[in-house]
Amino acid sequence: MLWRHRPTLVGALVLAAATAQAQPDPETIIRGGDVFVEGGVRAADVRIVGAVITEVGSALEPRDATTRIVDADGLLVLPGGIDPHVHLGAARADDYDSGSRAALAGGITTISNFGGVREGETPAQALQRARPDIEAQSIADVIFHPIVSDPASASADTLEALAAAGQTTIKVFMVRPSFDQAVPGFMATLRAARDTGVLMMLHCEDAAIVQSTAEQFIADGRGSLAHFADARPVAAEVAATQRAVAMAEATGAPIYIVHLSSERALRVTEEAQARGVPVYVETRPIYLHLTRERFDGDTPGLYIGQPPLRTRDDLDALWDGIARGTIHVVATDHVAYTREEKLDPSQNVARHRAGMSNLQVMLPMLFSDGVRSGRISLDRFVEVTSTNPAKLFGLYPRKGVVAVGSDADLVLWDPDETRTIRDEDMFSGSGYSVHAGRVVTGWPTLTMRRGEIVYRDGEIRGEAGSGQLAPRSRWQDPGL
Ligand SMILES: [Zn+2]
């Protein structure tokens, strides 16, 4: 096995016992699917031994009578989705267990979480604090991003310790007033990240513009959520995106911009990319499937996310960015609240619950509205949901690709299955989907995480605690 844990004394004894019984790792053959390998789709079988893909080829023979055969006739065999932008735990309706269930039912085999670096703590210590819950609860594999509010906590030494512990990202919120108070420190952190092979993820909205505009809206009697889009203008996203790009350009450090929402901000990143600045861009499903008219309805609270929903032109520009390859990742920014919490009438444009549940339907909706409709190719679909995040987050080629030696994180995908999204089918603790009622074509029928069938035909089969914190390598130019 390629990626076995470091053997402990107990582990060594267990291994010795297993060796004595000469029990081979279980074998599975996925038979007759259209397998997405690098370079395109080909009709092939996939052999999996233990947790790892060992062969992709024609008419593979089973080892013996114990080999499990999975029929994939008429199905795509895709690398499992990798979602680097998920929020779990805290006061939210999903923990690693329910978040995993939603993800696996939606074809995502690696999720993520963010955790704040507390005062007096280092990023590696924030990671250690998160580890017990990940190991106890998760079914999907997990990557973890410490949130840095005080740049002094993220120096070359402490980021070196984080990378040595196997996680290689930090998240910074430009939208928080604490960012503006410490910009010189964040420049030093960005250089430290560059030098230690750690990628900085940035929430790009300008704190001063967002805060003062919201306060003015409230003072003017326009503080209700119906005004959310105007109270949080595109200009705030553009200003912060320009600043983030400039910081990357001045330091040479790569940056990853989370949940980019507007055409104007996209142009800023595209111009930077054309100059050779290492700027990587993520968008999220709400900007690809919903527009700001939702705030005019009876339930604007359901649609609150930061940044807000934008216009139809923005939506079209983001789809084009995916198609052109200037948007590298589509990730959920999954935040699970119940419908009641999202509709809490005490909220306003300054104080509200941002984000929504999306793990279970992101891939099917992207496939349906993107691949089926001809807006993006199947290659792009796999790139932005699996291969690119694997490359950007230090998981490639162990994950993000169907290849010999890679983890058997696989999704059997029925490109023709048409289903309506229904609240009662959702595994998330939020208990509903803002997309309920949508008719979607293209769904996972089976999800495998490291060789184990963890989802099949509507049923979760994996156990809480079977997921792992996925070890990650340091930043390398992904060649995107
Ligand atoms: Zn987020």
Side-chain angles (χ1 to χ4, degrees), residues 85 87 114 171 173 203 258-259 333 335:
H85 195 155
H87 299 271
F114 299 84
K171 168 94 174 277
F173 284 86
H203 177 140
V258 297
H259 56 49
D333 197 2
V335 184

Side-chain angles (χ1 to χ4, degrees), residues 144-157:
F144 187 81
H145 317 293
I147 296 169
V148 173
S149 303
D150 175 4
S153 71
S155 63
D157 284 350

